[in-house]
């Protein structure tokens, strides 16, 4: 590569005072103190070209990844397909079995920390809900048992197959104050108006339709 600080004169350049001919070697000159010309025969100092990482570009053999299978710890609920995917990626990255097992152990600890944090967050939310509804003057305190009875009355009438109740239990939203208030009000209205659900929930009285529609009318 030419020295950036030296600008030799080209054949079309105008000659200047500093233009001098130097014996730097032309394309047909014998090499001076240099080896490995394009027409020279290879010598002992010739080395194969290497890439930036120091690996031979040609003739190098890529090492096959180590063949191994990983086993998840008994207390780590990792699905089989996820473990297979993790193992395949570890081998693809060239990790040894020992290195892959180390990453799996770290993943197990990380999963445990995340699970614990989620459980603590859920517990705090549930405790907050319980404190709110128990402190409610209309639905909590001494009225809590009645609130539960009214809520269950409404759910029994409008959720005959129990699917809504299962959803509320699984999601923990059966403890949500807003849900409790709404469902309890429905159950309370059923009790006050002697509403009878599809499954017979509520009180039943054999009252003519016209009397139920117009209770103040006297015949």
């Amino acid at each position: 590569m030419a020295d950036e600080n030296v600008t030799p004169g080209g054949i079309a350049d105008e000659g200047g005072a500093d233009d001098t001919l130097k014996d730097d070697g032309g394309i047909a000159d014998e090499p001076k103190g240099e080896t490995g010309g394009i027409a020279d025969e290879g010598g002992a100092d010739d080395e194969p070209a290497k890439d930036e990482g120091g690996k031979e570009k040609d003739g190098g053999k890529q090492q096959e990844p180590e063949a191994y299978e990983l086993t998840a710890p008994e207390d780590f609920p990792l699905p089989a397909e996820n473990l297979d995917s993790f193992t395949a990626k570890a081998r693809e990255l060239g990790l040894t079995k020992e290195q892959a097992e180390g990453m799996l152990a770290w993943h197990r600890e990380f999963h445990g920390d995340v699970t614990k944090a989620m459980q603590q967050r859920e517990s705090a939310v549930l405790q907050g809900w319980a404190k709110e509804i128990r402190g409610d003057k209309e639905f909590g305190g001494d009225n809590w048992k009645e609130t539960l009875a009214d809520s269950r009355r409404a759910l029994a009438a409008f959720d005959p197959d129990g699917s809504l109740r299962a959803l509320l239990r699984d999601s923990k939203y059966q403890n949500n104050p807003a849900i409790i208030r709404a469902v309890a009000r429905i159950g309370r209205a059923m009790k006050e108006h002697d509403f009878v659900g599809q499954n017979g929930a509520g009180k039943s009285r054999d009252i003519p339709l016209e009397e139920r529609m117009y209770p103040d009318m006297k015949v």
Side-chain angles (χ1 to χ4, degrees), residues 112-130 171-173:
D113 291 341
V114 171
T115 301
K116 183 178 180 180
M118 292 177 62
Q119 290 173 343
Q120 291 176 343
R121 178 182 176 85
E122 179 182 276
S123 178
V125 170
L126 292 176
Q127 290 178 8
W129 286 352
S171 65
K172 306 294 179 66
Y173 268 86

Side-chain angles (χ1 to χ4, degrees), residues 8 27-28 42-43 51 54 59 79 85 96 98 128 130 176 187 189 192-193 202 208 213 216:
I27 61 173
D51 60 18
S85 177
T96 65
E98 182 178 3
N176 183 279
E192 293 174 352
H193 295 84
M213 293 180 63
D216 297 332

Side-chain angles (χ1 to χ4, degrees), residues 85-144:
S85 177
F86 180 90
T87 303
K89 192 62 179 180
R91 294 180 58 191
E92 178 185 338
L93 294 174
L95 300 182
T96 65
K97 184 177 182 180
E98 182 178 3
Q99 291 171 331
E101 289 176 340
M103 288 298 299
L104 186 60
W106 172 86
H107 184 44
R108 169 179 170 274
E109 293 179 3
F110 178 77
H111 177 270
D113 291 341
V114 171
T115 301
K116 183 178 180 180
M118 292 177 62
Q119 290 173 343
Q120 291 176 343
R121 178 182 176 85
E122 179 182 276
S123 178
V125 170
L126 292 176
Q127 290 178 8
W129 286 352
K131 182 178 180 180
E132 179 182 343
I133 194 63
R134 294 299 179 90
D136 190 294
K137 294 181 180 180
E138 182 180 358
F139 298 94
D142 294 336
N143 298 322
W144 176 241

Side-chain angles (χ1 to χ4, degrees), residues 5-6 11 31 38 64 80 90 103 117 144 153 163 178 195 219:
N5 297 321
V6 178
I11 61 175
I38 60 173
E64 292 294 330
M103 288 298 299
W144 176 241
R153 181 184 303 107
S163 57
F195 178 85
V219 180

Side-chain angles (χ1 to χ4, degrees), residues 6 17 25 30 54 64 68 80 83 90 100 138 140-142 146 151 163 172 186-187 189 191 194 199 209 212 219:
V6 178
E30 292 291 333
E64 292 294 330
Y68 55 79
L83 180 61
E138 182 180 358
D142 294 336
E146 186 177 359
S151 299
S163 57
K172 306 294 179 66
I186 296 173
K191 179 176 60 178
D194 296 325
N199 63 348
L209 177 60
R212 280 182 285 164
V219 180

Side-chain angles (χ1 to χ4, degrees), residues 52-67:
E52 295 179 356
K55 297 180 180 179
E56 295 183 4
K57 290 184 177 180
D58 298 322
K61 294 184 179 180
Q62 185 177 3
Q63 186 177 2
E64 292 294 330
E66 181 182 351

